[in-house]
Amino acid sequence: MYETYDTQVAKRFTIYNSLFLDLPFNDIYRTGTLLPILGTACQNGFQKGLTPKEIIAGFFDELMPDSTEARRSDLLFQMIQYVERQVVLFDSIEDAAYEKIHDLKGKGTIKALIDRTDNDNKRAELIEKLKTFSVRLTLTAHPTQFYPGNVLAIITDLENAIRTDDIGRINSLLQQLGKTGFTKREKPTPYDEAVSLIWFLENIFYESISDIMIRLLGSLNIPLHDWENPGLLKVGFWPGGDRDGNPFVTHTTTKQVAQRLKKWILKCYYKDVRKVRRRLTFKHVEEILINIERGLYSTLFENDPVYKTKEQLLADLLSAREGLIKYHEGLFLDVLDQFILKVKIFGFHFACMDMRQDSRKHDTLMEEIFQLQGKELQGSEDEQIDQIMSITSLPEVASFQDPFNQEMLQSFGVIDSIQKEGGEEVLNRYIISNCQSRKHFLEVFKLAQLTLGVDKENLPLDIVPLFETIDDLAEAPQIMTSLYNLPEYKKHLSFRGNKQTIMLGFSDGTKDGGYLQANWSILRAKEEMTRVSRENGIEVVFFDGRGGPPARGGGNMHNFYASLGEKVENSEIQVTIQGQTISANYGKQASCTYNFEQLLSAGLENHLYVGADKNLNTEQRALINELAGEAYESYKKFKSHPKFVPYLEHVTPLKYFGMTNIGSRPLKRGKGDEGLKFEDLRAIPFVGSWAQMKQNIPGFYGVGAAIEVLEKKGKLGELKALYNNSLFFRALLGNSMQSLTKCFYPATAYLKQDENYGEFWEIMYEEYLRSIEKLKEVSSMDELMGDNKVIKKSIEIRERIVLPLITVQQYAIQQILETGKTTEVLQRLILRSMFGIINAARNAA
């Protein structure tokens, strides 16, 4: 695959990149000619130990000695724009070669899985597992997608032109790209974010999920119309329902998004039924399909909803199916069955929305409820829970003084109307961020009972705790045990099929406890919560809150899910997908299908093939626990350094994330006028800031220190054996290697001389070097990612493309630190550089 990548991607980029020089724009030739010179100056300069300021100054002194500051700044901005478009070109070339650089029939694909199970006489076991298994990808509104919609459309067209080597079209699209702005003038609203992601549902997921299901069932000789589990593959959806730290999401937004989802899935059905009609032109069948088409049209475009539920539509489709079999020997039955399967999969909801809010907001709401009732919520946690569970009614919404509390109550209330209009599937979960106690859980349970549950015998809503910090993960099994034993909640769980979803925060867990400790704590929490759930007759489903990079639980997820073993419940895989990871991994038919299949196969293999590399023994667990503990101590010491938060606030581009106009949510939780607090920092700008500095602290810090401690104890051999024998441990360290590969500490080496942050930088750099050395020793590799050279090559090219941007950004930061002055030009250089740097990484935040 490496040679194929070099031919199909690396060399093609070199050829097509030259087309930029022919674009008919002012100064384009000068920019395109000078940019490679700047790139070389950056590489050579950093090798010689020069600072970004010295590199930029030397470049101008040599090539434009008489230029003014304004002309120099203009050229830097032109170079930033040029590099941004080089990144787009490289993305498009990589996407166009997707099928050639990935083995679409190899390990992790549906075909490979079925072939393996057939060879091992496990087909019946596979089919049985498929009847209850599920993979749910939840698209979130987390803002790491820097490309506006019009640029994404150009990327799609450019990819198609590159596939056919259509030089003329590639050239014209590059011209369009040159004249199209990459920045958004205004922040998107939550509804705008939803509309952007529904594009992926309509154009990618609708076809990819159907394609996988049809091929899978066909390969197993299972008739489509008999399939019992249409939820095997599904999409979750957070835009419009995720209120955590986003005051701009209201109950009105939630309803608008639910309506939009319903309308857009009906549009897909309307287009599909017209295609089906072209084949089924027979008596006793055609007239039914004509009526279905008219009914969908009326429901969509006229104030006359013929179809109010998916069951009504399915009834008519099944009637057509009966006619096709009875009168026409089932001619083109496969065409109709494929459409029926789509309706079963996507219903009238398209994607499953979630509602989410921070536990501290529920605390505040509950306090005002008691105040309005002339009471005070006080005493121990158990006493407060007794008071909360004894509430029988809520005050009128209008009586609340806090508008935010009014909005929260209205959000609970809107769930009922949404479920009535689109079915329960559209919105049936409420996620509690920062859940730290039984009280946090039961506050939401009681609020839901008194709003959505009024006049209902049972509450049609799942309450989902999100455990994030290391301490919360440790407490989670005990919290869940006590909830399972609470009679009122036990009754509710019985109504919900004795199934409990629990969400785990990889992003905030890593921010709190460092890379190794977070991942190890989550695995142990899953094992313990699986145990206590099984003991109480509850089927637990784990929902992983992951970001794009390894530091936020991303990286190679497939190996992680294939490695969990028997101690972790395996009924479903649920994971968040966000930001540019959506467009990078699921933005095209080929990549979406491939990555969905990889996750599906990983979960199924974890069940079907339980081997020694998946079940950690006592000695292995003790070793990982010791290693994670040492890494945690190292990270805690670093995090408590007095310069940690000031460095993030005053050196990194943290504050600029709020100026990018890429997302609707504020930069941090809490009130805007409060000072920066570590606990209020969102994971995306936290991880993203380290990525911009090319330091990637959350993805590796403490790994090297921990390995060194165990090596001194004579346990390096044990770690090497663990790496060779445990898929979980191998995947864990492999993702940390990816974080280290994306680092570039020479760009910030000038900070060694800074009187405020010199010592702090040295601490980071020392751990960076130590982590590289120790990971190579444990893995017995000569270089990081030596076992994944294609991804390593992609990272190298991307990092080389954006090296001038990294240098320009650090040049501006260095100027500000040295002069103590922040000019508009320096601010703009930092901000504009961010876009290309993060887009090039594809999973940087």
Side-chain angles (χ1 to χ4, degrees), residues 485-503:
N485 291 319
L486 189 69
E488 194 169 354
Y489 189 65
K490 196 171 186 178
K491 178 185 174 186
H492 171 69
L493 275 180
S494 177
F495 168 66
R496 302 300 288 175
N498 285 320
K499 180 181 283 191
Q500 173 67 55
T501 302
I502 298 172
M503 191 172 179

Side-chain angles (χ1 to χ4, degrees), residues 110 133 135 212 216 232-233 596-604:
I110 293 299
F133 193 63
V135 176
I212 295 170
L216 173 63
L232 176 63
L233 303 175
F596 229 137
E597 285 190 24
Q598 290 285 320
L599 275 179
L600 177 61
S601 294
L604 293 169

Side-chain angles (χ1 to χ4, degrees), residues 211-264:
D211 170 61
I212 295 170
M213 291 281 285
I214 290 164
R215 283 188 293 107
L216 173 63
L217 298 177
S219 299
L220 295 171
N221 300 315
I222 299 172
L224 299 187
H225 71 284
D226 281 345
W227 182 238
E228 305 169 11
N229 182 19
L232 176 63
L233 303 175
K234 51 190 172 184
V235 185
F237 203 76
W238 271 13
D242 181 10
R243 291 154 167 70
D244 179 21
N246 192 344
F248 306 113
V249 178
T250 66
H251 69 285
T252 303
T253 310
T254 308
K255 189 158 189 176
Q256 288 174 334
V257 172
Q259 290 169 340
R260 177 89 176 198
L261 285 166
K262 181 178 179 179
K263 185 171 183 178
W264 252 245

Side-chain angles (χ1 to χ4, degrees), residues 365-366 368-370 372-373 388 390-400 405-406 408-410 412-413 443-454:
L365 171 58
M366 196 57 72
E368 187 169 5
I369 289 171
F370 274 82
L372 290 172
Q373 294 179 341
I388 289 167
S390 65
I391 300 174
T392 56
S393 63
L394 295 174
E396 292 293 323
V397 172
S399 64
F400 285 81
N405 288 341
Q406 289 184 354
M408 272 196 289
L409 281 177
Q410 290 172 308
F412 277 101
E443 282 174 336
V444 173
F445 179 55
K446 176 54 69 172
L447 287 167
Q449 283 184 319
L450 296 175
T451 49
L452 172 62
V454 169

Side-chain angles (χ1 to χ4, degrees), residues 697-767:
I697 289 299
F700 75 86
Y701 197 92
V703 173
I707 295 173
E708 186 174 76
V709 170
L710 266 67
E711 183 181 15
K712 289 176 180 177
K713 294 180 180 180
K715 296 184 179 182
L716 183 61
E718 293 176 45
L719 287 173
K720 287 183 175 183
L722 180 64
Y723 182 87
N724 290 327
N725 297 324
S726 167
L727 181 58
F728 168 77
F729 191 61
R730 221 163 34 247
L732 194 61
L733 295 196
N735 279 340
S736 196
M737 290 183 199
Q738 189 181 130
S739 289
L740 285 161
T741 303
K742 292 183 177 181
C743 290
F744 188 66
Y745 273 79
T748 55
Y750 66 91
L751 289 168
K752 283 189 294 186
Q753 310 304 323
D754 189 280
E755 60 180 20
N756 288 318
Y757 302 106
E759 179 212 347
F760 186 73
W761 187 90
E762 291 279 13
I763 293 171
M764 283 190 283
Y765 184 54
E766 183 181 342
E767 178 60 12

